[in-house]
Amino acid sequence: MMMNLKAKHIEIYGIVQGVGYRPFIFNLAGKYALKGSVGNTGKGVLIHVEGDDDKLALFTKSICIEKPRLAYVTDVLVEDIPPEGYSDFSIAGSKGKNEIRTLVSPDMCTCDDCAAELFDKADRRFHYPFINCTNCGPRYTIIDKLPYDRPYTTMKPFVMCDRCHAEYDNPSDRRFHAQPNACPDCGPHVMLFDNKRNKIETANPVQEAIRLLKKGHILAIKGLGGFHLSVDAENDSAVQSLRKRKLREEKPLALMAFDLEAISSFAIMDEKEKALLSSFERPVVLLKKRFPEFLSSHVAPQNPYLGVMLPYTPLHFLLLENKFTALVMTSANRKDEPIVIDNENAFERLQDIADFFLIHDRDIRVRCDDSILRHVSGDTRPVRRSRGYAPLPVFLKRDVPMILSCGAELKNTICLTKDNFAFLSQHLGDLKYMSTYEFFTDTIARMQTLFDISPVCIAHDRHPDYLSTRYAMEQHGLPRFPIQHHHAHVASCMAENGADGDVIGIVCDGTGLGDDGHIWGGEILVASETRYERVAHFSYTPMPGGDTAIKEPWRMGLSYLYQVFGEDGILMDLPFLNTLDDQKKQIAGDMIRKQINTPLTSSLGRLFDGVAAIIGIRNQVSFEGQAALELEMTAPCDLEQVLAMPPYEFSWENKKKRIIHAGPFIKGVVADIKHGVDPSVISGRFHGSLILLFSRLAKEISKETGLNRVALTGGVFQNTILLSGLIRNLSKEGLTVLTHRLVPANDGGIALGQALIASSLYRNG
Ligand code: ZN
Ligand code: ZN
Ligand code: FE
């Protein structure tokens, strides 16, 4: 029998601890009647396995194909060694705590097994809101430090009862070494309070919370990575009062529905969107509205899309089961503050927003908002990368030094690198606000400890006034690399696609400081990890009032009209101009004429704003990018239809670097308005023209440089028409198109690019 006795030493790296990897190996060894042992080290999982040669081969093959649900394997090393004559297969304890190379699992939604137990009357965890197992539950948000062991998590105060302990110790149990394992006898509990901190005495806080939601109350509900504010999405006045109290005028509110069937009653999903909704990460997915009348129109006013997610904690399942078509589940924060995570803070910060508080006694250690994704041109496009994805690294093409990159300002994230890992943080938010800045500094410190990273240099945006830049300037003794905003955008796209060498980068963005002191954002760069050349950009247009022009797109509308038609532009008989207050119009006109408080911009985001205003879509925005978004929503949603429309004229000046004239676009738009052309056609033509313009430029630059890879990046690429149109056209031209699938195209992905550039510059001295 033992003619072919062989042995192998196997090392496995990645997310392989705290995810049931050792029991998985134990069972696999049993299946093939192999002997040996499996254990954890600071670096990963070590296996010694011996037995029949053929079975050993099958075992090794299985390791490469199969894995436990939450495991994420980055490397498998297999080595032949002499057999040692083991008599059985055993699970060894953790060995050594040398170098930390273990990755940390993101939080994962309740698995099917646990969900079944949750609704099983005979189960001892029936309706228990903290049910979890090795395959599911909280991870990143409860971890203090590595190794991932219960005493180093916020489960520390809960001492496991005998039954839970027996599960925890049994290698064949689904809860073997499940650190957050708990039951109603020994684990956390939910409680209900009113907004004066009076505890509501009830045998079933969850049922009582459902009753209050049904009555139209606003509830603050403690979740996985923070609190949500919740109302019944069908209740118009409840949704309206939530908006009023949260000072959130029009920005869409995220929804949560019990299952795909519930979602299908109000939104359209294709198979890929269904898969994305049902994935373990449970992101908010942007879906087209189907029967919007089923929900309050105030959930996402003026927007054909809804942000929807499925339940991801047992508490969510209990709240939603057969109770609501959907609940509004929006991050609980005061305007411009980060999401609230602890109970005390919730009472303090949310008392004038929420009527009641459904809280629990397990602490959230790490703040982590819901992630937001959409599906465009066959791929997943992150809008916000956070819960479920962070702190999973982006895998780089090669090992890099340890680097901290500080990101930009809006939608800030930070990045820390080590080996070939780029750990992009969860979404942190808008750094203009002090409380977000604290979250930023805390996250840097926490991630450095968690992943054992001591940066050798710091990368930051070139903008001197960003708080992220100021932070970098305060870190003395480390070399600093100031990195141009749009170069970082291109590098971010390169990093996630594993591209090196030179690429053509089309950057369609809102705001980023250029090397000439102007605000860039409609750029084509020829860029590598170390350098870039600006080979084309939009012409400069004044922004009357500076940053105010971002919040008031009418200012950009006026500025483009003035630029193209001179004084006549302001006096023209256009519906848009007639909506403006004469005095305001006069002041803005003077600013442009006298060049007072009028920074110059080549930003495509501002061109979208200007066109949106001129068409009459809106003069003011209540959230970032609103006018551009609504301009997109005005266009026909069928790409072929958009591309079949006659484009506006466009041209560029062929100097050393090409200057693209914004004027012809504006002229075309104004002519259409005067001819009474429908706004949907105007928006369609505008989008189609931009797609054509960038395709032609990319082709020309490709011919000139011999480069055939084009990276599409920058916040404006959240625009589905622009993204899918350029992917289609550029691929048709035989160019390789690099796009964002792992990190956002917006400033949420910029820290990754900064890190990649800094690593090259550092290496080159
Ligand atoms: Zn589970
Ligand atoms: Zn227990
Ligand atoms: Fe940007």
Side-chain angles (χ1 to χ4, degrees):
M1 269 300 281
M2 283 300 174
M3 289 289 283
N4 288 320
L5 184 68
K6 292 267 167 64
K8 284 183 195 296
H9 169 88
I10 304 176
E11 294 177 21
I12 309 204
Y13 300 113
I15 299 180
V16 288
Q17 294 182 5
V19 292
Y21 206 87
R22 286 177 301 162
F24 159 72
I25 292 297
F26 178 83
N27 291 326
L28 204 62
K31 183 177 163 187
Y32 294 116
L34 299 169
K35 321 272 187 227
S37 74
V38 56
N40 281 339
T41 72
K43 292 173 109 184
V45 165
L46 282 191
I47 306 168
H48 174 95
V49 61
E50 53 188 57
D52 179 78
D53 199 11
D54 292 344
K55 299 236 170 89
L56 216 46
L58 289 171
F59 174 85
T60 315
K61 198 175 157 195
S62 295
I63 288 179
C64 297
I65 311 170
E66 297 166 39
K67 66 173 190 66
R69 187 180 185 239
L70 295 192
Y72 194 100
V73 175
T74 57
D75 286 301
V76 179
L77 302 178
V78 186
E79 202 187 333
D80 289 319
I81 50 162
E84 288 174 26
Y86 277 76
S87 59
D88 61 359
F89 195 93
S90 62
I91 296 184
S94 299
K95 256 184 257 162
K97 278 181 197 158
N98 30 8
E99 173 208 6
I100 296 171
R101 208 192 166 216
T102 307
L103 304 179
V104 174
S105 170
D107 303 274
M108 289 294 161
C109 75
T110 306
C111 72
D112 293 346
D113 292 334
C114 286
E117 287 180 349
L118 184 66
F119 293 113
D120 176 3
K121 282 200 174 115
D123 194 277
R124 72 186 186 97
R125 292 187 176 89
F126 175 65
H127 277 191
Y128 180 58
F130 300 91
I131 199 164
N132 70 80
C133 72
T134 328
N135 294 323
C136 74
R139 294 290 186 277
Y140 181 46
T141 56
I142 60 164
I143 295 178
D144 272 322
K145 58 176 183 174
L146 290 178
Y148 174 54
D149 272 329
R150 191 163 170 123
Y152 302 137
T153 71
T154 61
M155 284 301 291
K156 186 183 173 186
F158 303 97
V159 179
M160 268 187 275
C161 68
D162 291 346
R163 284 154 95 183
C164 286
H165 224 294
E167 295 165 342
Y168 183 89
D169 287 336
N170 178 0
S172 60
D173 194 281
R174 195 153 55 77
R175 299 194 163 92
F176 176 68
H177 284 197
Q179 305 303 344
N181 188 27
C183 78
D185 295 335
C186 65
H189 284 94
V190 294
M191 294 155 274
L192 188 65
F193 286 80
D194 69 13
N195 57 6
K196 311 227 162 31
R197 301 191 190 205
N198 300 309
K199 190 170 180 188
I200 312 278
E201 291 306 334
T202 163
N204 195 331
V206 178
Q207 286 309 311
E208 184 59 17
I210 291 168
R211 201 183 63 80
L212 292 166
L213 285 163
K214 280 277 176 206
K215 279 180 73 182
H217 290 294
I218 299 174
L219 265 75
I221 300 173
K222 192 174 185 179
L224 208 50
F227 276 72
H228 283 118
L229 285 163
S230 185
V231 291
D232 179 354
E234 286 177 284
N235 188 326
D236 226 35
S237 67
V239 178
Q240 269 177 292
S241 72
L242 172 60
R243 281 200 179 279
K244 212 181 268 161
R245 292 192 210 168
K246 210 189 165 198
L247 304 177
R248 182 151 158 156
E249 292 156 49
E250 291 159 309
K251 195 174 181 186
L253 299 166
L255 298 173
M256 185 181 278
F258 185 67
D259 54 17
L260 294 173
E261 198 188 325
I263 296 176
S264 68
S265 70
F266 56 83
I268 302 167
M269 299 161 279
D270 63 21
E271 289 310 311
K272 283 180 175 158
E273 286 162 337
K274 283 182 189 169
L276 193 53
L277 282 160
S278 315
S279 64
F280 310 144
E281 294 87 356
R282 290 288 153 99
V284 173
V285 180
L286 301 180
L287 302 173
K288 203 136 213 216
K289 285 178 185 169
R290 184 181 187 198
F291 300 119
E293 64 276 11
F294 277 10
L295 302 173
S296 160
S297 62
H298 299 282
V299 170
Q302 320 284 339
N303 195 320
Y305 287 84
L306 290 167
V308 191
M309 61 188 145
L310 288 172
Y312 56 86
T313 70
L315 183 58
H316 296 151
F317 278 96
L318 295 175
L319 285 168
L320 278 151
E321 192 215 6
N322 301 325
K323 310 295 189 324
F324 302 93
T325 306
L327 284 174
V328 166
M329 286 291 234
T330 183
S331 301
N333 54 343
R334 293 171 73 96
K335 197 175 165 66
D336 305 321
E337 288 182 359
I339 186 169
V340 168
I341 56 172
D342 68 79
N343 297 343
E344 251 331 281
N345 206 238
F347 286 126
E348 230 169 75
R349 311 304 293 162
L350 306 173
Q351 60 176 349
D352 20 313
I353 303 178
D355 301 312
F356 295 93
F357 292 75
L358 187 63
I359 66 169
H360 59 72
D361 51 356
R362 183 180 69 203
D363 286 343
I364 299 172
R365 187 62 77 228
V366 177
R367 184 182 277 128
C368 214
D369 283 88
D370 294 319
S371 294
I372 307 173
L373 288 90
R374 75 188 323 170
H375 220 277
V376 181
S377 289
D379 270 306
T380 298
R381 314 292 174 179
V383 175
R384 180 204 281 167
R385 182 186 182 271
S386 213
R387 179 191 45 78
Y389 301 91
L392 203 63
V394 173
F395 298 95
L396 301 174
K397 215 172 170 179
R398 58 171 170 271
D399 285 4
V400 296
M402 292 188 194
I403 289 167
L404 164 66
S405 56
C406 303
E409 182 162 74
L410 289 173
K411 300 184 171 76
N412 182 277
T413 59
I414 61 111
C415 185
L416 282 158
T417 58
K418 178 184 187 177
D419 302 333
N420 66 329
F421 305 133
F423 297 100
L424 191 66
S425 74
Q426 70 272 36
H427 166 80
L428 304 179
D430 185 350
L431 282 194
K432 270 204 288 289
Y433 303 97
M434 213 47 219
S435 47
T436 316
Y437 182 71
E438 276 166 29
F439 182 21
F440 163 88
T441 52
D442 285 354
T443 304
I444 293 173
R446 178 175 298 280
M447 284 178 60
Q448 286 189 19
T449 312
L450 196 57
F451 299 113
D452 195 19
I453 294 177
S454 319
V456 294
C457 67
I458 298 187
H460 61 87
D461 198 278
R462 265 194 200 158
H463 201 302
D465 300 332
Y466 288 172
L467 283 186
S468 53
T469 303
R470 297 219 186 136
Y471 171 89
M473 303 309 269
E474 285 161 12
Q475 310 309 306
H476 302 291
L478 287 181
R480 281 186 293 265
F481 295 101
I483 289 161
Q484 201 280 322
H485 188 91
H486 302 102
H487 185 204
H489 268 305
V490 177
S492 164
C493 189
M494 291 172 71
E496 72 160 86
N497 285 286
D500 45 20
D502 282 336
V503 304
I504 300 168
I506 300 181
V507 195
C508 297
D509 202 30
T511 300
L513 182 64
D515 295 339
D516 54 4
H518 300 316
I519 297 165
W520 294 5
E523 319 293 317
I524 303 186
L525 310 179
V526 166
S528 71
E529 285 172 29
T530 48
R531 51 166 287 281
Y532 68 95
E533 190 188 341
R534 192 186 191 201
V535 293
H537 67 88
F538 263 84
S539 54
Y540 286 125
T541 304
M543 292 170 67
D547 279 354
T548 313
I550 299 174
K551 294 190 185 104
E552 301 181 2
W554 68 267
R555 291 168 183 266
M556 288 315 298
L558 196 76
S559 184
Y560 282 111
L561 289 176
Y562 187 88
Q563 195 179 34
V564 177
F565 302 103
E567 288 297 332
D568 292 348
I570 297 184
L571 302 168
M572 218 181 275
D573 182 27
L574 274 184
F576 153 62
L577 289 171
N578 299 335
T579 61
L580 300 180
D581 176 271
D582 278 337
Q583 203 191 346
K584 279 188 172 175
K585 193 158 63 176
Q586 195 61 45
I587 296 170
D590 273 348
M591 283 180 172
I592 300 169
R593 280 180 211 107
K594 296 175 185 160
Q595 298 173 22
I596 304 163
N597 194 14
T598 48
L600 296 177
T601 187
S602 58
S603 160
L604 204 62
R606 296 295 82 74
L607 181 61
F608 269 84
D609 283 353
V611 170
I614 294 169
I615 295 181
I617 290 175
R618 70 168 50 246
N619 288 339
Q620 311 230 9
V621 297
S622 66
F623 61 90
E624 194 223 346
Q626 188 182 12
L629 177 74
E630 288 175 5
L631 179 61
E632 178 191 353
M633 300 308 175
T634 306
C637 53
D638 177 22
L639 178 65
E640 296 307 320
Q641 200 184 333
V642 168
L643 293 175
M645 288 176 167
Y648 293 129
E649 273 179 38
F650 52 77
S651 61
W652 57 83
E653 214 171 295
N654 247 330
K655 290 189 183 165
K656 195 171 158 224
K657 49 187 166 231
R658 299 164 184 79
I659 297 172
I660 309 160
H661 299 295
F665 287 96
I666 301 297
K667 272 187 194 156
V669 168
V670 169
D672 271 354
I673 293 172
K674 287 195 166 163
H675 288 117
V677 174
D678 193 83
S680 77
V681 176
I682 302 179
S683 175
R685 291 186 72 186
F686 175 68
H687 279 88
S689 312
L690 284 174
I691 294 167
L692 208 60
L693 165 81
F694 281 119
S695 310
R696 292 222 182 126
L697 272 169
K699 201 174 144 190
E700 190 178 293
I701 293 162
S702 163
K703 258 194 190 149
E704 207 173 275
T705 56
L707 302 173
N708 69 343
R709 289 173 304 173
V710 184
L712 305 181
T713 187
V716 178
F717 276 110
Q718 284 167 127
N719 182 309
T720 302
I721 306 174
L722 195 63
L723 177 63
S724 54
L726 274 172
I727 291 175
R728 176 190 175 280
N729 274 13
L730 296 172
S731 324
K732 254 188 168 173
E733 296 288 353
L735 297 165
T736 303
V737 188
L738 309 177
T739 57
H740 287 278
R741 289 160 299 171
L742 303 178
V743 308
N746 60 44
D747 287 5
I750 216 161
L752 174 64
Q754 292 175 342
L756 186 77
I757 296 168
S759 78
S760 287
L761 294 175
Y762 183 83
R763 220 185 349 239
N764 298 346

